[in-house]
Amino acid sequence: MALDGKTAVVTGAARGIGYAYCRRLAADGAHVVAVDIEDPADGVRQLTGTGDKLGLVCDISEPAQVDTVVGTVLDRYGRCDILVNNAGVFPFTDLDHVTIELWRTVQAVNVEAILLFAQAFAPGMRAAGWGRIVNTGSGITLTQNRDLAYLTSKGTVHALTRALANELGESGVTVNAIAPGLVATEGFLGRARTNGPSAEEVIARTTAVQTIKRHSVPADLGNALAFLVSDDADFITGQILHVDGGVTRTGA
């Protein structure tokens, strides 16, 4: 699964699942560009592997900032071979309280940024006859969760993944999504909620219905990513890979 000479761009890369993606891609030899609204420099300095490492600060809900990141990547590496759209925001929302401003923010970060990065980097992938786009979806789309804006955005991520796969498949570019279950990242544990169960209680309930009785860790997602971006997965596209310890076997 060596990725020597490949350039990988990962959004939402400063911590959690995104940082796990960076660690695995770097360890497998890729040049890694870590993109986050928080400065990813500290984490980038700790990455191992033979490839180049670069950290960039970007609010991906702002098209002009996305353009700046794209320009930096193309100037430095010539193209992006592996695009990992992982960044996301997930405020709790329901029908009675969600505002149109918050709704649009969630869609801009979770969905529209995928389109912007794909439009920018797909031409280089097509020209090379090889490329990998992996989006972070969510197992939440198969549950009865009522997190309105976030659930809607992740359902759209899954649909966009399939649409991009349809369009790019003949060019040697695969597009898939990894749908995590509940991962005890800093982001999830820090979510503000005024009522209902705590994050820790939600994690305990989720683990109870898994086939594999342990908490999910970010490295679980990194391992799945390593397969999807490898040549071993060159006949797999348009798929939503649920990495959740078996939760989706029951739709829980």
Side-chain angles (χ1 to χ4, degrees):
M1 296 187 181
L3 298 175
D4 294 350
K6 303 293 188 186
T7 297
V9 175
V10 182
T11 67
R15 56 181 180 167
I17 294 170
Y19 187 62
Y21 287 157
C22 290
R23 283 187 304 197
R24 183 56 191 263
L25 292 166
D28 285 350
H31 305 309
V32 173
V33 181
V35 179
D36 203 291
I37 197 169
E38 300 177 11
D39 190 347
D42 287 344
V44 167
R45 282 191 287 269
Q46 298 177 49
L47 296 175
T48 61
T50 59
D52 191 36
K53 292 92 176 174
L54 177 65
L56 297 174
V57 176
C58 176
D59 179 351
I60 64 170
S61 70
E62 296 291 339
Q65 294 192 36
V66 172
D67 288 344
T68 298
V69 167
V70 169
T72 300
V73 171
L74 296 181
D75 287 346
R76 184 160 176 156
Y77 304 105
R79 68 174 185 260
C80 167
D81 303 290
I82 299 167
L83 171 61
V84 185
N85 293 298
N86 171 71
V89 292
F90 34 85
F92 284 109
T93 59
D94 59 25
L95 184 60
D96 291 334
H97 300 98
V98 67
T99 64
I100 193 63
E101 292 78 17
L102 181 55
W103 175 273
R104 288 173 176 168
T105 296
V106 173
Q107 310 315 312
V109 174
N110 295 4
V111 179
E112 292 171 14
I114 296 176
L115 175 65
L116 295 175
F117 278 109
Q119 285 181 318
F121 291 136
M125 295 179 181
R126 281 172 162 155
W130 192 99
R132 299 287 185 265
I133 299 176
V134 181
N135 304 318
T136 297
S138 178
I140 195 176
T141 60
L142 298 179
T143 74
Q144 297 181 39
N145 189 289
R146 299 180 182 181
D147 200 344
L148 189 67
Y150 181 72
L151 191 154
T152 302
S153 73
K154 289 303 181 179
T156 308
V157 168
H158 294 180
L160 179 55
T161 296
R162 294 180 173 120
L164 290 173
N166 293 343
E167 187 163 342
L168 298 173
E170 294 181 1
S171 304
V173 180
T174 65
V175 187
N176 294 287
I178 295 174
L182 200 54
V183 186
T185 62
E186 304 97 316
F188 177 77
L189 293 173
R191 294 176 75 180
R193 190 167 186 176
T194 57
N195 53 53
S198 66
E200 291 76 10
E201 290 171 325
V202 173
I203 292 170
R205 293 179 185 179
T206 302
T207 304
V209 299
Q210 292 174 187
T211 301
I212 301 171
K213 301 298 184 182
R214 67 164 174 81
H215 297 320
S216 176
V217 295
D220 295 325
L221 291 309
N223 293 336
L225 177 72
F227 171 65
L228 287 177
V229 303
S230 73
D231 286 333
D232 291 338
D234 65 1
F235 202 58
I236 299 173
T237 195
Q239 302 303 307
I240 314 301
L241 178 60
H242 289 268
V243 183
D244 61 6
V247 170
T248 52
R249 83 196 190 284
T250 62

